């Protein structure tokens, strides 16, 4: 996929007030937007893991976090804000989609600046930390949240509901305290059910929906080892999806051919791969002769036109092949490890047996006995 660039995001969100509401994944969404507004770099692993710090990329901690007690309880608070001459981005950490704390956030919107874009999600904490029978409570809270929020914001404001991303079979996180460890096995299935309810209600209230669960169902390699959070590439893709959705809603043309290619992501600073790049061993593809060894081809500038292969790839078994010859018996059981592979026939003067192994045989779709 192609990613948005720093200049495109700066121009798209020029003189915009953006509010991000949600849990730790939404906090990483906020951080990636803040970093993308300043430079074409990815989030570091330490930046993705850290929470409640005093400052991140020239933003500041308004309340909560390290200014108060750092905890994994439902009463944890964290409000961050990044402000430049033409951009204002604010983040609220919430553990429930509608609570007394959410009502206080609504009061900020009612008496303060009205956000142009609200990016919101709240699911995992709602369905795991409050009640075993979470369905009815979650539905009622969603209805109350949408009704109050849409009653405060002007019609020009864009509200974007993010569906929760896929969870792993084995998860560990700040919300998963020992008291609710028994919910780990079925929590990913509860998330799918909660996504369905939230999507139906959001569409009923005319709220835009971004289905991140569907978008990342085949990108699980970008999920971290805890089974909950995601790496910098995934969050840059989320920022790209958010930007494209906002541009389409505001009638801004954002040409796809101007986006940065993901294949060039390794060239951008700020991205450290957690897995080493393993390349296959180099295969020597020079022509091989059993007596003369590898035959070097001439330089392409020297007699290149008159150069021919020393043998054709369609030779059959040599006519002087004799099973009683001891030298032939030794060659018969030899393994040619460095022999280049061809799928047509064997090389001249190379005896073929059913015990021969070709180490670099490429995969073809005609092999029905291989399962991938």
């Amino acid at each position: 996929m192609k990613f948005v660039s720093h200049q495109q995001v700066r121009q798209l969100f020029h003189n915009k007030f953006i509010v991000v509401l949600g849990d730790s994944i939404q906090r990483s969404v906020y951080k990636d937007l803040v970093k993308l507004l300043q430079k074409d770099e990815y989030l570091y692993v330490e930046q993705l893991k850290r929470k409640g710090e005093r400052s991140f990329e020239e933003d500041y901690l308004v309340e909560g976090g390290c200014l108060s007690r750092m905890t994994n309880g439902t009463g944890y608070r964290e409000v961050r804000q990044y402000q430049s001459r033409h951009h204002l981005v604010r983040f609220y950490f919430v553990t429930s989609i509608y609570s007394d704390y959410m009502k206080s956030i609504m009061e900020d919107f009612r008496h303060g600046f009205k956000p142009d874009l609200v990016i919101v999600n709240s699911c995992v904490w709602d369905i795991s930390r409050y009640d075993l029978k979470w369905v009815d409570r979650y539905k009622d809270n969603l209805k109350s949240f949408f009704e109050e929020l849409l009653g405060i914001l002007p019609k020009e404001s864009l509200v974007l509901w993010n569906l929760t991303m896929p969870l792993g079979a084995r998860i560990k996180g700040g919300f998963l305290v020992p008291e609710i460890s028994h919910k780990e096995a079925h929590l990913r299935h509860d998330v799918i059910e909660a996504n369905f309810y939230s999507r139906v209600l959001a569409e009923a209230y005319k709220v835009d929906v971004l289905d991140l669960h569907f978008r990342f169902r085949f990108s699980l390699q970008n999920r971290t080892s805890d089974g909950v959070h995601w790496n910098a590439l995934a969050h840059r893709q989320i920022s790209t999806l958010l930007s494209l959705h906002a541009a389409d809603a505001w009638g801004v043309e954002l040409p796809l051919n101007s986006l940065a290619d993901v294949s060039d992501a390794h060239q951008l600073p700020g991205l450290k791969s957690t897995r080493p790049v393993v390349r296959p061993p180099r295969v020597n593809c020079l022509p091989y002769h059993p007596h003369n060894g590898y035959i070097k081809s001439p330089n392409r500038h020297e007699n290149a036109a008159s150069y021919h292969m020393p043998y054709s790839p369609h030779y059959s078994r040599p006519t002087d092949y004799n099973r009683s010859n001891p030298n032939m018996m030794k060659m018969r059981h030899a393994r040619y490890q460095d022999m280049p592979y061809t799928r047509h026939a064997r090389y001249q003067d190379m005896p073929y047996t059913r015990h021969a192994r070709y180490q670099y045989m490429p995969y073809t779709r005609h092999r029905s006995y291989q399962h991938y």
Side-chain angles (χ1 to χ4, degrees), residues 226-283:
D226 63 1
V228 180
H229 299 92
W230 298 74
N231 63 11
L233 282 178
H235 281 286
R236 184 52 51 88
Q237 185 175 352
I238 294 174
S239 299
T240 301
L241 294 173
L242 292 173
S243 302
L244 291 175
H245 190 100
D248 183 67
W250 292 334
V252 178
E253 184 177 357
L254 195 63
L256 295 178
N257 55 3
S258 63
L259 303 183
D261 195 350
V262 68
S263 59
D264 300 332
H266 65 280
Q267 301 177 2
L268 297 177
L271 180 63
K272 295 184 178 179
S273 177
T274 57
R275 298 181 181 179
V277 178
V278 180
R279 293 183 173 86
R282 191 179 185 88
V283 183

Side-chain angles (χ1 to χ4, degrees), residues 114-359:
K114 304 296 187 294
D116 300 285
L117 173 62
V118 178
I119 305 169
V120 57
N121 168 265
S122 183
C123 176
V124 177
W125 287 74
D126 296 73
I127 66 178
S128 63
R129 293 296 296 270
Y130 291 95
D131 195 357
L132 291 176
K133 299 179 180 180
W134 55 268
V135 177
D136 294 335
R137 179 181 180 275
Y138 188 55
K139 290 180 180 179
D140 295 338
N141 287 342
L142 283 171
K143 293 177 183 178
S144 302
F145 170 76
F146 288 137
E147 288 178 358
E148 187 168 350
L149 180 66
L150 297 178
I152 296 174
L153 299 182
K155 294 183 179 180
E156 294 77 15
S157 296
L158 175 62
V159 180
L160 185 55
W161 177 265
N162 291 345
L163 295 189
T164 306
M165 304 175 72
L167 296 182
R170 295 184 177 181
I171 59 177
K172 55 182 179 180
F175 71 94
L176 196 66
V177 293
E179 291 79 8
I180 61 170
S181 59
H182 61 280
K183 297 184 178 182
E184 177 185 358
H186 58 83
L187 192 57
R188 57 175 178 164
H189 305 292
D190 293 343
V191 164
I192 298 176
E193 185 179 359
N195 280 341
F196 171 76
Y197 296 139
S198 63
R199 176 168 191 155
V200 171
L201 289 172
E203 292 177 349
Y205 283 93
K206 308 298 182 182
V207 174
D208 290 17
V209 177
L210 182 59
D211 194 346
L212 297 181
H213 194 284
F214 176 82
R215 291 281 186 173
F216 288 88
R217 71 194 189 282
F218 295 138
S219 302
L220 303 182
Q221 72 277 4
N222 292 326
R223 190 171 58 195
T224 59
S225 58
D226 63 1
V228 180
H229 299 92
W230 298 74
N231 63 11
L233 282 178
H235 281 286
R236 184 52 51 88
Q237 185 175 352
I238 294 174
S239 299
T240 301
L241 294 173
L242 292 173
S243 302
L244 291 175
H245 190 100
D248 183 67
W250 292 334
V252 178
E253 184 177 357
L254 195 63
L256 295 178
N257 55 3
S258 63
L259 303 183
D261 195 350
V262 68
S263 59
D264 300 332
H266 65 280
Q267 301 177 2
L268 297 177
L271 180 63
K272 295 184 178 179
S273 177
T274 57
R275 298 181 181 179
V277 178
V278 180
R279 293 183 173 86
R282 191 179 185 88
V283 183
N284 197 331
C285 296
L286 294 177
Y288 181 84
H289 194 275
H291 302 295
N292 300 330
Y294 290 105
I295 303 175
K296 295 183 178 181
S297 59
N299 190 284
R300 61 178 178 175
H301 301 293
E302 300 176 1
N303 302 325
S306 60
Y307 174 73
H308 299 284
M309 293 288 290
Y311 47 79
S312 170
H314 296 283
Y315 279 105
S316 60
R317 181 179 292 181
T319 56
D320 57 346
Y321 180 79
N322 187 3
R323 289 179 178 270
S324 62
N325 189 344
N327 294 328
M328 280 293 180
M329 292 300 295
K330 292 180 181 180
M331 294 180 63
R332 177 172 175 264
H333 296 284
R335 297 176 180 177
Y336 299 98
Q337 303 289 341
D338 300 322
M339 183 173 60
Y341 168 76
T342 59
R343 60 186 177 91
H344 300 288
R346 313 300 163 186
Y347 286 96
Q348 183 186 20
D349 299 333
M350 289 188 180
Y352 165 69
T353 68
R354 58 190 177 92
H355 302 288
R357 298 181 181 178
Y358 299 94
Q359 303 295 329

Side-chain angles (χ1 to χ4, degrees), residues 90 92 103-113:
R90 187 181 298 167
Y92 294 90
K103 294 178 183 177
S104 66
I105 297 175
M106 299 289 187
E107 292 299 320
D108 293 344
F109 297 159
R110 182 177 284 110
H111 302 291
F113 293 111

